[in-house]
Amino acid sequence: MSRPGHLRLGVNIDHVATVRNARGGAYPDPLRAARIAEQAGADGITAHLREDRRHISDADIDGLMEVLSVPLNFEMAATPEMQAIALRHKPHAVCIVPERREERTTEGGLEVAREENRLAHFIAPLREAGCRVSIFIAADQRQIEAAHRIGAQVIELHTGAYCDAHAEGRFDDRDRELEGLREMSAFAHGLGLEVHAGHGLTYDTVQPVAAFPEVAELNIGHFLIGEAIFLGLEPAISEMRRLMDEARA
Ligand code: PXP
């Protein structure tokens, strides 16, 4: 599954389900998107089953577990309901994210340091079931140390602040955010954690992050699904793959 030096691309298909759910009904089908993503070179599929089921549904997760030939990265909040679903399916990876009903997207990283005991107990059965446990956090040393202490094997660094600063033309902030991501990728890797990154990445912002040698995987969704409207899903993903490979070369 992991080739040395290969930067994995996880394609997040949540927003195919967002479009489907805008009308109800069956299309566009996230499973079809997942199969196309595999053909386009995705190394994994990511899907976030939110408490309010605003995009991905329970049936989507059932279907993904059945049809995927690449690993599923199952994103979820640290709730008993989601833990039971993850334990039923035993996906390759479980990524624990913070979730607030009123947010439009996952706005910040998880506060691991404040909830260390609860999270340590929460992830233990997931690890025992064979899932790789990833924690979605800000590029913050305290949070990384806490994620390491609770027994997570993977951290995913939140790239949203870096991408927002770029989009808003705040280039000093962008560069500062990027430097923080770079330093914290190296720090987490030094602790033995596998390092992933994602949120808000686009063709314009992906390469500096892809170039960090410690980063093993990027998870990218919203931009790719949007770009698919103009290019088609397979070419949109292939171009992202090309940019990632170019940054690594
Ligand atoms: N990684 C995590 C943990 C996420 O929660 C999300 C958004 O669901 C992503 C990556 C992908 O972000 P985007 O859809 O902005 O590319």
Side-chain angles (χ1 to χ4, degrees), residues 12 14-15 46 48 50 55 73 75 95-97 105-106 136 156-157 197-201 219-224:
N12 181 317
D14 291 353
H15 297 301
T46 293
H48 181 180
R50 292 187 75 105
H55 38 56
N73 176 32
E75 272 185 31
C95 181
I96 313 290
V97 301
T105 181
T106 313
F136 189 45
E156 180 162 333
L157 293 177
H199 207 282
L201 291 169
N219 284 300
I220 309 180
H222 187 246
F223 175 81
L224 287 175

Side-chain angles (χ1 to χ4, degrees), residues 13 20 55 58 88 100-101 127 136 145 170 174 180 192 198 211 243:
I13 56 165
R20 175 194 61 195
H55 38 56
D58 297 72
R88 194 164 73 242
R100 286 198 305 274
R101 265 171 195 270
R127 281 199 55 162
F136 189 45
E145 286 168 342
R170 293 181 284 108
R174 175 198 62 188
L243 289 167

Side-chain angles (χ1 to χ4, degrees), residues 48 56 78 86 92 100 116 124 175 193 196 212 235:
H48 181 180
I56 293 294
H92 166 77
R100 286 198 305 274
E116 233 177 283
D175 295 347
L193 290 160
H196 299 178
F212 300 156

